[in-house]
Amino acid sequence: MKKTEFDYLSDNYDKTLKDSFPKALGEVNYFSTYKVKLVYELVRNKKNIHILDFGCGQGTSLKIFSDYFKSSKLWGYDVSKEFIKKIKKKKMNIKLTTDLKKIPKKKFDLIFISGVLHHINIKNHNKILSHCRDFLNKTGEVYIFEHNPINPFTNYIFKNAVIDRKAEMVSSKKLVGSALKARLKVISLKYTLFFPKQLSFLRFLEKFLVWLPLGAQYLLILKK
């Protein structure tokens, strides 16, 4: 199989990702934990669920999911075989694949897609989301986190990030359009990540700001 861009980045992925963020923002894992914790807070009444991390990369979010959703079954999908190999070495109780055909249909209660779609041509978003629709069970939901192009600081980081050199940010409007074409219903669109780690004590304010399109990222929640 032809190597992907992320196969080549896999050996130095941690450093490349860290270098993509200004040092003042603190550790990158803060943002990964932030998003998984937010999902947990939104679905905390659900237990023993099946979760798919679509575009799981090196497995950072999967590890955090295993901490928050202790009784759930985790799956990880990524196009990079090198990333999947790295996760397997950690010997976590997670089912992993690089093959969409091996992901069971109508199974998942929660599909998590974080910072993935801006690496995929927008023309293919409809196809990707259609696959995710097939993977959802009747009550399942898709949680998509993407960079907010309206945020000037996000724009600055994005344009200077090596890891995003071939990527293109996706507006919430365009992503909603792709979701509707994939026959998915929009549950909500929230703006998030208003505060960096140093200001995390202000996070309690975010629930009052979800309508304001100035968060560093947005969260689109979808269902069948």
Side-chain angles (χ1 to χ4, degrees), residues 29 39 48 58 122 146 196 214:
N29 278 0
V39 172
N48 301 312
Q58 62 178 351
I122 193 170
E146 271 299 331
L214 290 177

Side-chain angles (χ1 to χ4, degrees), residues 107-153:
K107 186 178 186 69
F108 294 96
D109 302 278
L110 194 161
I111 298 177
F112 180 76
I113 310 176
S114 178
V116 173
L117 294 178
H118 64 269
H119 289 288
I120 299 171
N121 191 301
I122 193 170
K123 294 179 181 179
N124 295 321
H125 288 179
N126 177 28
K127 184 177 180 180
I128 294 295
L129 293 176
S130 293
H131 280 304
C132 289
R133 187 184 189 280
D134 292 337
F135 301 148
L136 287 175
N137 60 31
K138 290 182 179 180
T139 60
E141 297 173 346
V142 183
Y143 287 72
I144 305 176
F145 286 90
E146 271 299 331
H147 298 317
N148 178 15
I150 300 174
N151 183 295
F153 195 51

Side-chain angles (χ1 to χ4, degrees), residues 146-156 158-159 169-174 189 191-192 194 211-218:
E146 271 299 331
H147 298 317
N148 178 15
I150 300 174
N151 183 295
F153 195 51
T154 298
N155 265 286
Y156 172 79
F158 188 85
K159 289 177 181 178
M169 278 193 283
V170 188
S171 70
S172 57
K173 182 179 180 180
K174 287 184 178 180
L189 172 63
Y191 292 91
T192 186
F194 286 88
W211 59 272
L212 185 64
L214 290 177
Q217 293 198 349
Y218 61 86

Side-chain angles (χ1 to χ4, degrees), residues 9 20 28 34 47 85 96 107-108 120 126 169 183 200 205 214 222:
L9 284 172
S20 296
V28 176
Y34 183 108
K47 297 181 179 179
K85 286 178 183 178
L96 301 162
K107 186 178 186 69
F108 294 96
I120 299 171
N126 177 28
M169 278 193 283
R183 296 185 299 122
S200 60
L205 294 173
L214 290 177
L222 308 167

Side-chain angles (χ1 to χ4, degrees), residues 55-194:
C56 61
Q58 62 178 351
T60 301
S61 294
L62 282 169
K63 174 61 174 68
I64 302 167
F65 267 109
S66 69
D67 292 334
Y68 278 90
F69 294 83
K70 296 184 183 297
S71 59
S72 296
K73 306 296 182 183
L74 299 178
W75 282 69
Y77 163 79
D78 202 275
V79 295
S80 170
K81 284 191 172 184
E82 297 304 317
F83 275 145
I84 294 299
K85 286 178 183 178
K86 287 181 179 294
I87 301 173
K88 286 181 177 179
K89 289 179 180 179
K90 298 175 184 178
K91 297 183 178 180
M92 295 188 287
N93 187 26
I94 297 170
K95 293 186 177 180
L96 301 162
T97 185
T98 58
D99 187 350
L100 286 171
K101 294 179 181 179
K102 291 185 179 180
I103 301 175
K105 295 183 178 181
K106 299 180 180 180
K107 186 178 186 69
F108 294 96
D109 302 278
L110 194 161
I111 298 177
F112 180 76
I113 310 176
S114 178
V116 173
L117 294 178
H118 64 269
H119 289 288
I120 299 171
N121 191 301
I122 193 170
K123 294 179 181 179
N124 295 321
H125 288 179
N126 177 28
K127 184 177 180 180
I128 294 295
L129 293 176
S130 293
H131 280 304
C132 289
R133 187 184 189 280
D134 292 337
F135 301 148
L136 287 175
N137 60 31
K138 290 182 179 180
T139 60
E141 297 173 346
V142 183
Y143 287 72
I144 305 176
F145 286 90
E146 271 299 331
H147 298 317
N148 178 15
I150 300 174
N151 183 295
F153 195 51
T154 298
N155 265 286
Y156 172 79
I157 295 174
F158 188 85
K159 289 177 181 178
N160 290 279
V162 174
I163 202 168
D164 291 323
R165 61 188 174 186
K166 295 182 179 180
E168 182 178 353
M169 278 193 283
V170 188
S171 70
S172 57
K173 182 179 180 180
K174 287 184 178 180
L175 190 52
V176 166
S178 296
L180 294 177
K181 287 180 181 178
R183 296 185 299 122
L184 286 163
K185 298 175 183 177
V186 176
I187 298 177
S188 71
L189 172 63
K190 304 173 185 288
Y191 292 91
T192 186
L193 279 169
F194 286 88

